[in-house]
Amino acid sequence: MDEGDGMMKKGTIGRRQFMKSTLAGFGGIYLLSAAEKNPVERPVDAKGKERKPVYRTLGKTGLKLPVINMGVMNSDNPNLIRAALDSGILLLDTAHAYMQGRNEEVIGSVVKGRPRDSYLIGSKVSLPQDRTAGRYIEGATEAEFLKKLDLSLKRLGVEYVDILYHHNVSRRESAFYEPVLNAMAKAKKAGKFRFAGITTHSNEPEVIHAAVDTKFYEVILTAYNYQQKHVAEVRDAIARAAQAGLGIVGMKAIRGGNRQTPSVSNSAAALNWVLQDANVHTVVPGFTTFDQLETDLAVMEEPRLTDAEKRELAAAASLPGLYCQGCRECLGQCVKGLPIPDLMRAYMYVYDYRNLGMARDLVGSLALPSRLCGECALCHVRCSSGFAVREKIRDIVRIREIPPEFLA
């Protein structure tokens, strides 16, 4: 069965039934007034009942968003994206590099012909980095940033994106990187995006505080979930940013896109946990099936966390999980200076997201030696989560042997 078809389960609806009901309510697309940024029509659910999403305002941007939107990174199913928009989701979150550009192209095919004020797009541009140090290297230029942005706009088929993110920042100094700030300032003046954002997957508190201090960014997209060991510091940084008027978008709420990990048996509870923080304005889970969309839409209408779910998540938070927390404590331990967090992230792309193309692109960008973890008689890396780092690295680097065309 195609991934987009989902599985028919008791109490859920399949793709055909979902699409039939969705198309029947096609008139319920959101139309946003440019002045008020408020929906004037409401979508309906599978039974024809009017949906009533919970909205929050994205900081000083003034954008009124449902608390759940769509992370499109792992989805190339246009019908799923259409169904999300027709069901009340407004913001589609993508990036220049996702699926080597195909992700933006699929979104472009979906939004073509829709009123431009009926949906929002957030996309991201990243520049070459020393992935171990988190610092920019040769080639990380203003011209390269603008080149990538122009290509993204072409793929999407739009004149502007609503949020443009400075992508994958892990150090304070990178948030202030002048070539990126200059490029974004020029692009914004040229009308190529509306609001400046920044994203962070690791060392989040430092990056969030830096984003506030720049007085440049208007939106922050950050990893935030109940399993983070430094979750209190992340929460405090988010509170400061929200107080300063920045819009807060949460990601990695479920520690992965396809909800396969044993430690995330209740994905709705994981999303609701994030949304209990009023400083988070929306979350962009990466759903890939119609059943997952249905779950997320239920959260969008009632982001409530029960006492039983709180206990469930508290118990799950003590488990090591299957995937890297991005704490970066391992970086100083590897005698070869390998970018272990990025390799672990690629491991997650394969074994949780089932996105081999994304994993191969990431591994290929790391300038790794031909042989890894074969010369050291003893691995000195001690993962704070207890991962067998050496074995995971040996596993994931095998993806370099797969020809790119096999993953297209």
Side-chain angles (χ1 to χ4, degrees):
M1 178 177 291
D2 184 79
E3 181 182 53
D5 288 344
M7 298 294 291
M8 289 295 290
K9 300 177 181 178
K10 184 177 181 180
T12 64
I13 56 176
R15 181 180 70 85
R16 291 182 179 87
Q17 184 182 351
F18 189 100
M19 288 304 298
K20 182 178 179 181
S21 61
T22 299
L23 292 174
F26 189 78
I29 297 174
Y30 276 103
L31 300 176
L32 297 185
S33 161
E36 298 180 355
K37 306 184 184 68
N38 288 319
V40 297
E41 293 191 39
R42 292 190 181 277
V44 296
D45 65 13
K47 298 179 180 179
K49 182 181 178 181
E50 182 181 282
R51 290 195 181 278
K52 296 182 179 180
V54 173
Y55 294 91
R56 293 178 185 175
T57 301
L58 190 65
K60 292 182 179 179
T61 70
L63 297 175
K64 191 175 182 181
L65 298 177
V67 292
I68 294 291
N69 283 283
M70 183 176 187
V72 191
M73 182 179 79
N74 294 303
S75 178
D76 59 358
N77 184 343
N79 288 333
L80 182 64
I81 302 170
R82 289 190 187 99
L85 290 174
D86 294 344
S87 299
I89 281 173
L90 288 178
L91 174 63
L92 302 176
D93 181 85
T94 184
H96 178 87
Y98 290 170
M99 297 179 176
Q100 297 180 320
R102 295 197 314 279
N103 200 256
E104 289 179 325
E105 290 172 351
V106 172
I107 291 175
S109 72
V110 171
V111 301
K112 185 177 181 180
R114 288 178 180 255
R116 184 60 185 89
D117 60 357
S118 69
Y119 61 88
L120 304 171
I121 296 177
S123 195
K124 317 177 189 76
V125 173
S126 59
L127 292 178
Q129 295 184 33
D130 176 334
R131 304 300 289 259
T132 300
R135 294 186 175 92
Y136 287 109
I137 59 177
E138 184 179 357
T141 64
E142 178 181 323
E144 181 64 14
F145 190 98
L146 292 171
K147 178 182 177 182
K148 288 185 174 182
L149 171 58
D150 286 342
L151 180 53
S152 288
L153 294 175
K154 181 179 179 180
R155 291 168 177 165
L156 290 162
V158 297
E159 294 183 355
Y160 66 91
V161 292
D162 299 277
I163 307 170
L164 178 66
Y165 292 102
H166 175 189
H167 190 34
N168 198 19
V169 178
S170 60
R171 297 179 62 91
R172 177 180 176 85
E173 64 188 68
S174 295
F176 286 85
Y177 189 61
E178 286 192 7
V180 170
L181 298 187
N182 291 340
M184 293 183 78
K186 289 181 179 180
K188 187 173 185 180
K189 186 175 181 180
K192 295 180 179 181
F193 73 92
R194 297 169 63 193
F195 303 107
I198 188 170
T199 81
T200 178
H201 303 77
S202 62
N203 202 20
E204 301 93 346
E206 179 177 314
V207 175
I208 293 170
H209 285 301
V212 177
D213 294 341
T214 66
K215 302 186 185 305
F216 178 83
Y217 302 102
E218 298 158 283
V219 182
I220 296 172
L221 173 60
T222 181
Y224 188 30
N225 62 72
Y226 69 96
Q227 287 187 317
Q228 287 173 310
K229 294 183 178 179
H230 60 316
V231 67
E233 290 82 2
V234 176
R235 183 184 297 112
D236 289 345
I238 286 174
R240 180 189 174 217
Q243 184 64 33
L246 278 74
I248 306 298
V249 182
M251 64 172 169
K252 309 297 183 191
I254 312 173
R255 297 293 306 282
N258 292 335
R259 302 111 190 259
Q260 299 293 331
T261 66
S263 57
V264 188
S265 59
N266 190 336
S267 59
L271 290 169
N272 281 322
W273 182 91
V274 175
L275 291 170
Q276 300 315 293
D277 188 340
N279 291 317
V280 177
H281 304 125
T282 191
V283 182
V284 286
F287 53 85
T288 56
T289 71
F290 287 87
D291 285 339
Q292 291 169 1
L293 169 59
E294 186 181 1
T295 297
D296 293 346
L297 292 174
V299 173
M300 183 177 75
E301 295 187 274
E302 189 178 9
R304 184 174 62 90
L305 193 64
T306 67
D307 289 339
E309 288 172 331
K310 291 177 183 178
R311 292 191 294 269
E312 178 184 351
L313 294 182
S318 64
L319 301 176
L322 298 179
Y323 305 108
C324 177
Q325 292 245 357
C327 69
R328 303 176 70 85
E329 293 177 12
C330 57
L331 289 176
Q333 301 178 35
C334 179
V335 296
K336 299 295 184 179
L338 295 177
I340 295 173
D342 289 294
L343 288 165
M344 295 301 99
R345 190 172 170 193
Y347 186 93
M348 180 184 70
Y349 286 161
V350 170
Y351 290 100
D352 190 26
Y353 288 12
R354 309 302 191 206
N355 191 332
L356 274 67
M358 195 78 179
R360 193 186 190 284
D361 289 347
L362 176 54
V363 171
S365 73
L366 299 178
L368 300 169
S370 58
R371 294 185 61 204
L372 277 80
C373 299
E375 299 177 359
C376 298
L378 177 67
C379 181
H380 297 280
V381 176
R382 295 293 176 267
C383 173
S384 62
S385 295
F387 292 164
V389 171
R390 186 177 188 176
E391 286 72 15
K392 286 181 180 285
I393 290 177
R394 284 176 167 175
D395 184 2
I396 194 58
V397 296
R398 294 181 300 154
I399 203 167
R400 297 185 297 185
E401 302 169 10
I402 303 176
E405 58 267 24
F406 283 18
L407 305 177

